[in-house]
């Protein structure tokens, strides 16, 4: 199993290196302007300069803080709402249409309103991030809690378990894999929400830096920021997988 995992990593890195080499050769041999498609070497040089001089770090910290705040608040509200709607059919029927409406409206279209309500800066971006990552966790929580084995539910009723005991000892443990799957989706979307929010209502952050680099016609810097965003997203996703593995460990052990 370890050999297979090691080979998988080797293949992934080999594919990445092959793509970068092809990109480098194509950008150098095609004569395309660096303003249109910079070579990977130019992108890495811009990335190294930004990190070594400290230019990128304040933007990374800003986006990271917005990401954490938006993800935490959105997931907390999403989880609580999901549990409440799974436990109350009436509440689900009343709130679900409004929740769906809040999700089908493009967040970029709502951004100007959030700026009017919350002003420029971090608050608007955090609200957009929370709104984007709220729905996946809420939906997965509702679905997971409502798909518990009916026989096990009947057994808990026969044993005289209260509604609270049934929720804590049966529904939540049984629905944990689905809830954590919703968390994985929320983590990915949270980064998208933070960057999109910075496109309009921020003067600092990776999203704001993309807009600034576009205005300066600094395409290598723009690609460098995209590399940072990708690295940040992968890191956060791996952390989520580690947390998920730890939480599911008691249910995967072979007795």
């Amino acid at each position: 199993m370890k050999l297979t995992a090691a080979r998988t990593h080797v293949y992934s890195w080999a594919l990445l290196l092959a793509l970068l080499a092809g990109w480098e050769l194509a950008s150098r041999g095609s004569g395309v302007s660096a303003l249109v498609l910079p070579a990977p070497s130019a992108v890495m040089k811009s990335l190294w300069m930004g990190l070594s001089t400290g230019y990128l770090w304040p933007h990374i910290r800003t986006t990271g803080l917005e990401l954490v705040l938006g993800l935490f608040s959105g997931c907390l509200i999403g989880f609580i709402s999901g549990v409440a709607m799974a436990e109350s059919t009436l509440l689900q029927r009343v709130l679900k249409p409004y929740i769906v409406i809040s999700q089908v409206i493009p967040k970029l279209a709502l951004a100007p309103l959030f700026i009017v309500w919350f002003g420029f800066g971090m608050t608007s971006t955090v609200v957009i991030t929370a709104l984007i990552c709220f729905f996946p966790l809420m939906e997965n929580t509702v679905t997971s809690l409502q798909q518990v084995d009916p026989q096990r539910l009947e057994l808990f009723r026969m044993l005289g378990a209260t509604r609270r005991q049934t929720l804590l000892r049966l529904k939540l443990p049984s629905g944990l894999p689905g809830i954590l799957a919703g968390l994985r989706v929320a983590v990915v979307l949270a980064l998208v929400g933070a960057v999109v929010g910075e496109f309009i209502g921020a003067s600092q952050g990776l999203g704001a830096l993309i807009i600034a680099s576009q205005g300066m016609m600094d395409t290598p810097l723009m690609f460098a920021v995209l590399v940072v965003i990708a690295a940040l997203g992968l890191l956060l996703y791996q952390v989520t997988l580690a947390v998920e593995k730890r939480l599911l460990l008691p249910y995967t052990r072979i007795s």
Side-chain angles (χ1 to χ4, degrees), residues 70-93:
L71 182 64
F72 176 78
S73 56
C75 287
L76 180 63
I77 298 173
F79 176 74
I80 294 175
S81 302
V83 172
M85 288 192 291
E87 291 294 292
S88 173
T89 304
L90 176 62
L91 192 62
Q92 182 177 358
R93 290 176 179 175

Side-chain angles (χ1 to χ4, degrees), residues 42-253:
V43 174
M44 296 310 297
K45 180 180 178 181
S46 179
L47 177 60
W48 171 252
M49 290 295 295
L51 293 175
S52 61
T53 60
Y55 176 69
L56 287 175
W57 289 113
H59 298 283
I60 294 174
R61 285 194 293 267
T62 299
T63 300
L65 181 59
E66 293 166 348
L67 177 61
V68 170
L69 292 176
L71 182 64
F72 176 78
S73 56
C75 287
L76 180 63
I77 298 173
F79 176 74
I80 294 175
S81 302
V83 172
M85 288 192 291
E87 291 294 292
S88 173
T89 304
L90 176 62
L91 192 62
Q92 182 177 358
R93 290 176 179 175
V94 171
L95 295 181
K96 195 65 174 289
Y98 299 99
I99 294 175
V100 172
I101 290 173
S102 71
Q103 296 302 307
V104 298
I105 298 176
K107 304 305 178 293
L108 199 58
L110 293 175
L113 285 176
F114 290 152
I115 292 174
V116 172
W117 295 338
F118 305 109
F120 288 95
M122 185 176 294
T123 304
S124 298
T125 305
V126 170
V127 172
I128 293 176
T129 305
L131 188 60
I132 287 179
C133 65
F134 154 81
F135 186 75
L137 188 58
M138 184 276 296
E139 186 69 20
N140 275 44
T141 301
V142 172
T143 303
S144 300
L145 296 184
Q146 290 180 336
Q147 290 182 342
V148 179
D149 186 358
Q151 294 182 350
R152 298 180 68 183
L153 275 175
E154 185 61 28
L155 176 61
F156 267 65
R157 293 192 187 99
M158 292 175 60
L159 294 175
T162 64
R163 191 170 185 175
R164 182 172 178 269
Q165 290 173 331
T166 302
L167 173 64
L168 296 179
R169 299 185 181 183
L170 174 61
K171 291 183 177 181
L172 285 177
S174 299
L176 190 58
I179 295 172
L180 292 175
L183 178 62
R184 290 201 307 269
V185 177
V187 164
V188 176
L189 294 180
L191 183 56
V192 176
V195 174
V196 169
E198 291 171 346
F199 282 166
I200 298 180
S203 58
Q204 195 172 54
L206 296 176
L209 188 54
I210 290 177
I211 300 300
S213 61
Q214 182 183 17
M216 295 183 296
M217 302 295 289
D218 192 347
T219 310
L221 176 60
M222 186 186 303
F223 273 84
V225 175
L226 293 177
V227 171
V228 174
I229 292 173
L232 185 61
L234 286 175
L235 176 62
L236 191 58
Y237 189 77
Q238 290 300 319
V239 170
T240 306
L241 289 179
V243 172
E244 179 178 350
K245 184 177 180 180
R246 179 66 182 87
L247 292 176
L248 294 178
L249 187 59
Y251 307 101
T252 57
R253 289 174 178 167

